[in-house]
Amino acid sequence: MRQHKLALCKEHFLVWFTEQTQRFINKYHMFGYEDRILVAVSGGKDSLALWNVLHRLGYQTDGLYIGLGINQGTGYSAESLQFTEKYATKYNHKLIVVDVAEFAGATIPEAAALTLRGKGKPCSVCGLTKRYIMNMVAHQGDYNVLVTGHNLDDEVAVLFGNTLNWAVGYLARQGPVLEETAGGLARKAKPFCRFYERETAAYALLQGIDYIYEECPHATGAKSIYYKVQLNQLEADRPGTKLSFYLSFLRAKESGFFAHQNPAVQANLNRCQTCGQPTSAPEQCAFCRTWHRVRSRRAAAA
Ligand code: Q46
Ligand code: ZN
């Protein structure tokens, strides 16, 4: 690991990785042993590695898998569910599965086709739906915190994009922990935010975790992937660039650089008049508005 000027064998890498995870959890006050943790799992290496290491550290975890129905041509969703279920069965973990088509009335590709009319990717409706379901399950199940497997490469790509645009509202919200809001948005944490992607992949591999190698087919061409390629180039020339970019950002944030942005973002949440979830919109939340449109267009087309 050139970025840390460290070389480890299998046995010591696993110890190092586990200890580092615990260190990040403590450093950013993510959660404790008394907390009930909901792990968002996709069947990929990061989320399954996260579930694995948290369980090994003795935390109380359940998994949440969201079935997006992205199967045409690739079978991506069906396959990722298989990997997730196989993992949960092997380790005897509780897995909650929410299928978007059953819950909301259409798969993500169907919803995207109806709302975007063939233009653009399904990622906006997908992201919106995933966030909604994660928050809902966290609340209904009385979980104290929702954790995701975002790694350093993911976080730095987002940071890079937000910095290029000086999107200060988004920068203010980015970090290892997003606190619960008074209006009822669940507390979120990213215990892997300081691990390079290669490190989480190495952990998954060395622990013998079977995971889906393919990414969602809609990820290709995403801006974040383009940023990752550029950042990899920087990292190859100057090992440690990504980590130092991220840590310098966190220090700037801690010193109050974005402080004036925070209250505006989190205040003024209303209750959605349809589902009751918190929203910044005055009446219906974005999820209810979008899916209402999907269902009515579907009915009109039938
Ligand atoms: S948003 Fe887009 Fe992802 Fe949804 S459609 Fe696939 S690439 S899964 S993180
Ligand atoms: Zn709603």
Side-chain angles (χ1 to χ4, degrees):
M1 296 182 283
R2 290 202 299 156
Q3 62 279 9
H4 306 307
K5 298 191 176 67
L6 190 64
L8 298 171
C9 64
K10 172 180 174 177
E11 187 192 335
H12 289 109
F13 177 83
L14 291 175
V15 173
W16 174 83
F17 189 93
T18 309
E19 285 176 358
Q20 289 291 92
T21 308
Q22 183 62 68
R23 214 186 111 222
F24 304 152
I25 292 168
N26 295 348
K27 181 168 174 58
Y28 300 110
H29 309 290
M30 291 185 176
F31 41 77
Y33 288 103
E34 66 293 350
D35 286 322
R36 295 185 61 238
I37 302 165
L38 184 64
V39 187
V41 280
S42 66
K45 64 182 184 322
D46 298 298
S47 55
L48 290 183
L50 178 60
W51 203 4
N52 187 277
V53 74
L54 292 183
H55 184 74
R56 286 183 51 239
L57 283 165
Y59 290 104
Q60 304 178 52
T61 57
D62 292 335
L64 166 64
Y65 175 89
I66 301 175
L68 305 171
I70 300 175
N71 284 316
Q72 224 181 0
T74 62
Y76 168 74
S77 285
E79 212 183 315
S80 61
L81 174 62
Q82 268 176 17
F83 277 99
T84 310
E85 281 182 329
K86 210 172 115 198
Y87 179 86
T89 309
K90 181 175 170 188
Y91 289 91
N92 204 14
H93 288 348
K94 179 179 170 188
L95 175 68
I96 300 164
V97 177
V98 178
D99 186 78
V100 172
E102 277 171 30
F103 173 68
T107 64
I108 291 295
E110 286 166 353
L114 289 162
T115 48
L116 305 168
R117 301 200 195 273
K119 286 179 246 127
K121 283 174 169 288
C123 295
S124 56
V125 65
C126 179
L128 170 97
T129 305
K130 284 195 287 191
R131 282 193 298 277
Y132 182 90
I133 293 175
M134 286 192 261
N135 198 54
M136 179 190 78
V137 174
H139 269 279
Q140 287 177 349
D142 274 330
Y143 289 95
N144 304 93
V145 62
L146 169 78
V147 299
T148 54
H150 292 98
N151 58 44
L152 180 74
D153 295 57
D154 300 324
E155 290 302 290
V156 170
V158 171
L159 175 61
F160 191 59
N162 287 340
T163 307
L164 283 180
N165 295 310
W166 279 120
V168 281
Y170 287 117
L171 287 166
R173 264 180 291 174
Q174 190 178 353
V177 173
L178 192 59
E179 290 300 340
E180 182 176 6
T181 63
L185 286 173
R187 180 180 163 82
K188 299 183 184 73
K190 300 169 187 170
F192 281 180
C193 65
R194 285 177 57 165
F195 282 128
Y196 281 76
E197 188 175 0
R198 291 189 62 204
E199 294 162 5
T200 59
Y203 177 84
L205 229 68
L206 296 175
Q207 274 293 101
I209 297 170
D210 270 338
Y211 61 85
I212 182 165
Y213 287 102
E214 287 80 38
E215 298 243 344
C216 169
H218 300 292
T220 40
K223 240 191 214 162
S224 59
I225 295 200
Y226 172 73
Y227 292 150
K228 281 183 179 179
V229 172
Q230 307 303 316
L231 288 156
N232 284 344
Q233 185 60 49
L234 283 171
E235 182 75 27
D237 295 340
R238 301 180 71 97
T241 300
K242 288 185 208 173
L243 187 58
S244 101
F245 183 35
Y246 187 61
L247 295 183
S248 311
F249 159 71
L250 292 185
R251 275 196 296 275
K253 206 176 150 185
E254 221 170 274
S255 71
F257 197 68
F258 301 103
H260 62 292
Q261 287 293 326
N262 257 332
V265 171
Q266 306 222 332
N268 305 326
L269 284 182
N270 305 309
R271 293 242 157 248
C272 169
Q273 290 177 357
T274 305
C275 72
Q277 272 215 34
T279 173
S280 52
E283 292 170 359
Q284 255 191 338
C285 72
F287 175 89
C288 287
R289 268 180 297 155
T290 306
W291 282 91
H292 176 73
R293 204 160 59 229
V294 169
R295 285 187 291 265
S296 34
R297 284 193 183 161
R298 186 170 223 201

